[in-house]
């Protein structure tokens, strides 16, 4: 044959996601792309003395995982923080925090993540007094699993200038106690950003998520510190079989850091970074997003999406509901952005050819987002926009028809429904209300409506493992016998993580499948996925991750 392979995989159970050739046992790679897919004998012709051969030994080989909703910078920082995942009760929380504090004697802010709203038990809230009883002389903050609430002790609130409260934009709240001082619960980013900024990297990791602004007075040492954080995060992605990520927060600083990592040869995962619009002149901000799109459009790093938050989350009553919360009559939540402003954002982004991705958890938020997308279509006419809605935890049935008509992508996270992956059922189920459970996390109804659905973990909200997510998608049980079965098949889940993930970033012509000419983004797993009981999927891990023909992880 005219071309020899750099790398060949043999004896695999190849799940190509290519309808023309769905299964095979071997493939050949050269120059970062797939040369051919076929039988062992067919692929052997590409082998020379210089070719590396990997024997998959009957394990599944799939396209690389496309993680379509993560927060890479913040998640990378959290890899070194205390995790309170599955910690329950005051004594267990105290022991974990004090042990972590002892191991970090010079840390300016002790940060713990994945703290359940009900960690102390039903009806016992976390406040600054509880945290002071554990640690009073060092700043301490606990982040909720959804990353929309922080609890801080008194010294942290004082250093952040929040103890006496502060006026905040809609949808953000510093909960005030009966004594007129901050209780310690901080809802949404404008409430807790100044606490996070007490940390070692001054909160630069979360700026793209909170305000979308650029960090000020960054030194060369700061940049080196932040690049090291991101490299650690990229290595973590590769170790989980991820070859592409779509960030859901962004600023130019992140694009620059990733560009520097690419120049160093260490960008081992393809990335897409949006402009996060929070406030400011809309035309100016959309022009900036368009400029980033023009500047960053490579196969390894690109931009072109505008991210917006329409609401918060259910557990803190900050998600925007269409009707009142079941457990809080008279309260629907608040929109982060009024409808007229949001419509204008959509119109200006759409006419510049930009994709829009909006965080919308409540059914009121989903409806408002679709109104904005409709306004953009009315202003500029139909186009292949591939606008997205992130999360869609509760949805009105009529809005599924609108989503399908507008060709909106549903970006879903199988790990987040109550009861999944160790999450408690409460308080979420009470917030939604029994009558609305059927319209919540409605994966099957969304798929049946003909809507393109992509899967992700929202890391660091959930662990980034795609197999944890796929397991959750395949095994989720209804909360009540008469509710729909939302379980997904293995092939549906893989489609959402590969083919559909590539489609969501306009890359379906060159990645997301194992076929000749496509980039060699591949995972060799340590088991035959199709032969496993769905319950066993959670234990599957990569043996090799390959991105652009380069082995980026090897077990």
């Amino acid at each position: 044959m005219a071309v020899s392979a750099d790398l060949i995989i043999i004896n695999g159970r190849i799940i190509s996601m290519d309808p023309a050739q769905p299964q095979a046992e071997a493939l050949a790679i050269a120059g970062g792309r797939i040369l051919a897919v076929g039988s062992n004998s067919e692929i052997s012709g590409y082998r020379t003395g210089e070719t590396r051969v990997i024997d998959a030994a009957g394990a599944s080989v799939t396209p690389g995982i496309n993680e379509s909703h993560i927060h890479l910078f913040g998640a990378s920082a959290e890899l070194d923080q205390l995790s309170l995942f599955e910690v329950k009760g005051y004594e267990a929380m105290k022991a974990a925090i004090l042990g972590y504090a002892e191991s970090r004697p010079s840390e300016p802010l002790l940060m713990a993540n994945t703290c359940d709203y009900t960690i102390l038990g039903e009806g016992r809230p976390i406040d600054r007094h509880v945290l002071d009883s554990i640690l009073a002389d060092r700043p301490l903050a606990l982040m909720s699993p959804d990353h929309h609430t922080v609890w801080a002790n008194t010294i942290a609130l004082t250093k952040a200038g929040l103890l006496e409260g502060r006026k905040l934009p809609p949808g953000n709240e510093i909960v005030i106690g009966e004594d007129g001082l901050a209780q310690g619960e901080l809802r949404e980013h404008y409430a807790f950003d100044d606490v996070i900024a007490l940390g070692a990297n001054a909160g630069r990791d979360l700026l793209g998520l909170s305000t979308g602004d650029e960090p000020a007075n960054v030194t060369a040492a700061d940049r080196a510190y932040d690049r090291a954080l991101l490299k650690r995060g990229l290595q973590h992605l590769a170790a989980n079989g991820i070859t592409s990520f779509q960030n859901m927060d962004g600023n130019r600083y992140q694009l620059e850091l990733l560009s520097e990592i690419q120049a160093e040869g260490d960008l081992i995962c393809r990335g897409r970074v949006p402009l996060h619009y929070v406030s400011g002149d809309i035309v100016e901000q959309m022009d900036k997003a368009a400029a980033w799109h023009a500047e960053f459009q490579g196969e390894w790093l690109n931009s072109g999406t505008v991210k917006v938050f329409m609401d918060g989350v259910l557990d803190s009553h900050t998600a925007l509901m269409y009707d009142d919360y079941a457990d809080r009559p008279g309260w629907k939540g608040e929109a982060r952005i009024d409808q007229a402003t949001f419509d204008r954002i959509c119109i200006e982004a759409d006419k510049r050819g930009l994709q829009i991705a909006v965080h919308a958890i409540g059914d009121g938020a989903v409806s408002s987002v679709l109104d904005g997308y409709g306004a953009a279509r009315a202003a500029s006419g139909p186009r292949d926009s591939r606008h997205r809605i992130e999360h869609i935890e509760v949805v009105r049935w009529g809005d599924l028809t609108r989503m399908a008509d507008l060709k909106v992508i549903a970006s879903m996270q199988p790990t987040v429904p109550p009861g999944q992956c160790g999450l408690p059922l409460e308080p979420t189920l009470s917030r939604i209300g029994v009558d609305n459970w059927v319209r919540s996390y409605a994966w099957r109804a969304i798929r049946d409506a003909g809507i393109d659905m992509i899967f992700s973990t929202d890391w660091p909200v959930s662990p980034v493992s795609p197999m944890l997510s796929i397991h959750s998608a395949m095994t989720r049980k209804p909360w009540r016998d008469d509710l729909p079965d939302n379980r997904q098949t293995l092939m549906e889940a893989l489609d959402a993580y590969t083919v559909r993930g590539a489609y969501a970033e306009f890359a379906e012509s060159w990645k997301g499948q194992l076929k000749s000419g496509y980039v060699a983004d591949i995972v060799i797993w340590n088991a035959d996925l199709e032969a496993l009981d769905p319950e066993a999927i959670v234990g599957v891990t990569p043996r090799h991750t390959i991105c652009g023909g380069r082995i980026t992880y090897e077990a």
Side-chain angles (χ1 to χ4, degrees):
M1 291 186 177
V3 182
S4 61
D6 302 322
L7 176 65
I8 283 175
I9 299 169
I10 61 172
N11 297 323
R13 298 278 298 177
I14 292 177
I15 305 173
S16 71
M17 307 308 294
D18 174 10
Q21 188 183 18
Q23 295 183 320
E25 61 181 350
L27 59 79
I29 300 166
R33 279 182 143 72
I34 296 171
L35 279 175
V37 180
S39 66
N40 285 333
S41 60
E42 288 170 333
I43 298 303
S44 66
Y46 293 94
R47 182 174 178 176
T48 70
E50 303 299 316
T51 302
R52 176 172 178 176
V53 178
I54 298 177
D55 187 347
S60 291
V61 180
T62 70
I65 296 297
N66 191 325
E67 229 298 346
S68 57
H69 183 128
I70 65 169
H71 303 279
L72 178 64
F73 202 177
S76 299
E78 284 194 18
L79 288 171
D80 197 39
Q81 294 175 1
L82 172 64
S83 172
L84 294 176
F85 181 63
E86 294 189 330
V87 172
K88 298 292 183 185
Y90 175 83
E91 292 301 330
M93 182 173 76
K94 178 179 179 179
I97 290 171
L98 291 180
Y100 182 71
E102 184 178 359
S103 71
R104 300 288 194 281
S106 60
E107 199 75 29
L109 172 68
L110 291 164
M111 192 79 204
N113 57 65
T114 325
C115 175
D116 279 347
Y117 286 85
T118 57
I119 191 171
L120 297 178
E122 295 294 335
R124 186 182 180 190
I126 307 168
D127 60 27
R128 63 185 173 94
H129 304 295
V130 169
L131 299 183
D132 288 348
S133 72
I134 295 173
L135 193 69
D137 59 349
R138 296 178 63 185
L140 169 67
L142 279 53
M143 178 75 79
S144 64
D146 54 36
H147 286 65
H148 286 256
T149 299
V150 163
W151 298 273
N153 65 357
T154 302
I155 190 172
L157 293 166
T158 302
K159 285 179 174 288
L162 301 176
L163 189 60
E164 296 181 356
R166 180 185 299 169
K167 183 176 174 57
L168 299 173
N172 298 263
E173 182 182 4
I174 299 169
V175 178
I176 300 298
E178 293 180 359
D179 58 1
L181 299 177
Q183 195 178 64
E185 182 173 341
L186 309 169
R187 298 174 178 172
E188 304 299 334
H189 282 278
Y190 279 105
F192 58 68
D193 280 347
D194 286 340
V195 169
I196 303 299
L198 299 173
N201 85 332
R204 292 188 300 274
D205 58 309
L206 293 184
L207 266 183
L209 180 61
S210 59
T211 65
D213 294 336
E214 307 299 330
N217 305 314
V218 178
T219 67
D222 291 336
R223 293 184 84 93
Y225 181 94
D226 293 343
R227 281 197 305 275
L229 278 184
L230 286 170
K231 287 179 184 179
R232 187 190 314 167
L234 292 168
Q235 290 163 0
H236 188 68
L237 294 182
N240 281 279
I242 295 164
T243 57
S244 292
F245 69 90
Q246 297 172 49
N247 228 42
M248 281 296 122
D249 67 85
N251 51 14
R252 186 176 180 86
Y253 184 60
Q254 291 188 54
L255 282 163
E256 290 176 351
L257 291 175
L258 290 167
S259 292
E260 291 166 14
I261 291 170
Q262 183 180 9
E264 295 168 352
D266 292 327
L267 188 60
I268 57 174
C269 188
R270 306 176 195 275
R272 184 173 177 89
V273 178
L275 177 144
H276 179 197
Y277 178 84
V278 177
S279 61
D281 184 86
I282 293 172
V283 170
E284 180 182 309
Q285 291 295 308
M286 296 308 112
D287 283 345
K288 182 193 296 186
W292 292 3
H293 183 33
E295 183 177 355
F296 299 96
Q297 51 178 293
E299 288 187 350
W300 285 92
L301 182 61
N302 62 79
S303 190
T305 301
V306 175
K307 172 68 184 299
V308 182
F309 276 79
M310 180 55 74
D311 68 348
V313 293
L314 290 162
D315 287 357
S316 61
H317 289 110
T318 55
L320 179 63
M321 305 300 285
Y322 197 85
D323 297 309
D324 291 350
Y325 276 84
D327 63 348
R328 190 173 172 182
W331 177 253
K332 295 180 174 65
E334 291 181 297
R336 294 278 193 94
I337 299 176
D338 66 85
Q339 192 66 53
T341 300
F342 180 71
D343 289 354
R344 188 165 174 237
I345 292 167
C346 292
I347 290 167
E348 293 294 335
D350 193 69
K351 75 181 185 181
R352 287 166 175 78
L354 298 167
Q355 182 187 46
I356 309 166
V358 185
H359 170 117
I361 281 181
D363 54 357
V366 172
S367 186
S368 290
V369 172
L370 293 174
D371 287 346
Y373 291 167
R377 175 185 279 190
S380 302
R383 72 176 184 90
D384 185 15
S385 57
R386 306 189 194 183
H387 297 324
R388 305 165 45 145
I389 301 182
E390 311 301 315
H391 310 304
I392 321 177
E393 295 190 12
V394 188
V395 63
R396 300 166 71 218
W397 295 132
D399 282 337
L400 294 184
T401 302
R402 288 209 291 161
M403 285 183 68
D405 177 61
L406 291 165
K407 301 189 184 307
V408 172
I409 295 170
S411 175
M412 312 292 287
Q413 294 73 43
T415 52
V416 303
Q420 298 301 110
C421 302
L423 292 177
L425 295 176
E426 296 294 351
T428 315
L429 291 187
S430 292
R431 302 285 192 266
I432 297 169
V434 174
D435 292 344
N436 296 324
W437 287 357
V438 69
R439 301 187 290 108
S440 303
Y441 313 93
W443 306 332
R444 182 55 58 194
I446 288 170
R447 188 179 290 281
D448 289 348
I451 296 165
D452 287 298
M453 185 162 61
I454 55 178
F455 279 166
S456 62
T457 62
D458 199 7
W459 185 52
V461 170
S462 299
V464 80
S465 164
M467 285 302 157
L468 177 65
S469 182
I470 289 172
H471 168 265
S472 184
M474 294 179 68
T475 61
R476 175 182 160 197
K477 295 178 176 60
W479 304 308
R480 196 175 61 193
D481 289 343
D482 61 341
L483 292 175
D485 184 350
N486 278 289
R487 288 178 298 177
Q488 305 287 290
T489 68
L490 173 64
M491 295 307 295
E492 286 172 335
L494 285 174
D495 175 79
Y497 259 122
T498 57
V499 177
R500 225 52 55 186
Y503 172 82
E505 53 175 328
F506 302 89
E508 73 275 16
S509 65
W510 56 273
K511 70 175 175 179
Q513 300 179 53
L514 301 181
K515 61 191 294 186
S516 178
Y518 276 49
V519 291
D521 294 358
I522 303 163
V523 189
I524 305 172
W525 302 96
N526 66 352
D528 179 356
L529 298 175
E530 295 173 285
L532 291 178
D533 183 277
E535 289 291 351
I537 291 282
V538 71
V540 175
T541 57
R543 276 178 45 199
H544 295 84
T545 304
I546 300 165
C547 190
R550 171 187 177 186
I551 296 174
T552 55
Y553 172 78
E554 189 167 3

